[in-house]
Amino acid sequence: KAGVTQTPRYLIKTRGQQVTLSCSPISGHRSVSWYQQTPGQGLQFLFEYFSETQRNKGNFPGRFSGRQFSNSRSEMNVSTLELGDSALYLCASKKNGGTQYFGPGTRLLVL
Amino acid sequence: QQQVKQSPQSLIVQKGGIPIINCAYENTAFDYFPWYQQFPGKGPALLIAIRPDVSEKKEGRFTISFNKSAKQFSLHIMDSQPGDSATYFCAASKPQGGSEKLVFGKGTKLTVNP
């Protein structure tokens, strides 16, 4: 069974730009969560989507947004990038009530 | 506000040793406590998890000990191997109707020397 896939794996942007990251969940998983991982703050929950609806969110500014498509694939968008947005962005998928399985992440560098 | 505190930040043991990583939580509504292992360049992978109705759970060489009254839980790795060298994260979540918002500790970098 294929795992969670994330694209792209690496990304370099400049301040003020916006970025879109993509996540394809494990087949059959309808829940997709996004996390930000930085050396200083560790792993922090961004939001979760289930059946194309956001059903949980963390404490991030509105510049961070996401969506989920009917095939459960998800995208997250960060607008007006700041230097502090440099991080590893992780996507995790699960069946409802099941265990979260993480993808390898997208490493974003903001210059 | 850090809801899950993890210690130590780093740990070095010899092959065959038993590293112990500790976590403490604040929110008594948490009811699910997983441990994740992360290798460089990879996403976290679930190792083992426990719910508060049991005090200990073993899976292979990995054991979680859980103390509900102290709001603490720990990971023990028996007969550690160099391949166990990784960063370990504890986490916690509370029931939210099928949703799972994991709150993570800051991580422990484990090095197992041959």
Side-chain angles (χ1 to χ4, degrees), chain A residues 65-83:
Chain A
S65 63
R67 60 176 175 168
Q68 187 179 35
F69 302 95
S70 58
N71 61 358
S72 294
R73 191 178 69 85
S74 177
E75 289 181 346
M76 70 161 275
N77 184 78
V78 188
S79 62
T80 320
L81 283 166
E82 301 177 359
L83 296 179

Side-chain angles (χ1 to χ4, degrees), chain B residues 14-94:
Chain B
Q14 293 298 119
K15 178 182 173 182
I18 306 175
I20 300 173
I21 304 170
N22 300 298
C23 284
Y25 62 98
E26 299 165 5
N27 190 340
T28 54
F30 287 148
D31 76 337
Y32 176 66
F33 302 89
W35 284 88
Y36 282 84
Q37 178 190 57
Q38 186 176 30
F39 292 104
K42 304 285 188 181
L46 179 67
L47 259 184
I48 185 173
I50 198 168
R51 295 201 182 267
D53 52 346
V54 298
S55 60
E56 186 176 277
K57 183 175 181 180
K58 291 184 182 180
E59 284 187 8
R61 296 184 293 108
F62 301 94
T63 299
I64 298 179
S65 297
F66 187 84
N67 186 328
K68 187 175 181 178
S69 60
K71 294 189 285 185
Q72 295 175 347
F73 57 111
S74 59
L75 176 70
H76 298 60
I77 305 175
M78 311 301 287
D79 186 29
S80 59
Q81 302 297 311
D84 296 330
S85 297
T87 300
Y88 292 81
F89 294 92
C90 62
S93 71
K94 57 185 179 182

Side-chain angles (χ1 to χ4, degrees), chain A residues 37 48 55-56 94 99-100, chain B residues 38 43-44 46 96 98-100:
Chain A
Q37 185 175 23
E48 178 195 6
R55 70 172 177 181
N56 213 336
K94 71 184 189 81
T99 299
Q100 291 195 36
Chain B
Q38 186 176 30
L46 179 67
Q96 290 177 299
S99 178
E100 185 180 86

Side-chain angles (χ1 to χ4, degrees), chain A residues 43-60:
Chain A
L43 279 149
Q44 293 185 286
F45 175 81
L46 280 155
F47 31 64
E48 178 195 6
Y49 285 85
F50 180 78
S51 292
E52 302 179 65
T53 302
Q54 186 183 91
R55 70 172 177 181
N56 213 336
K57 71 187 298 289
N59 298 320
F60 279 80

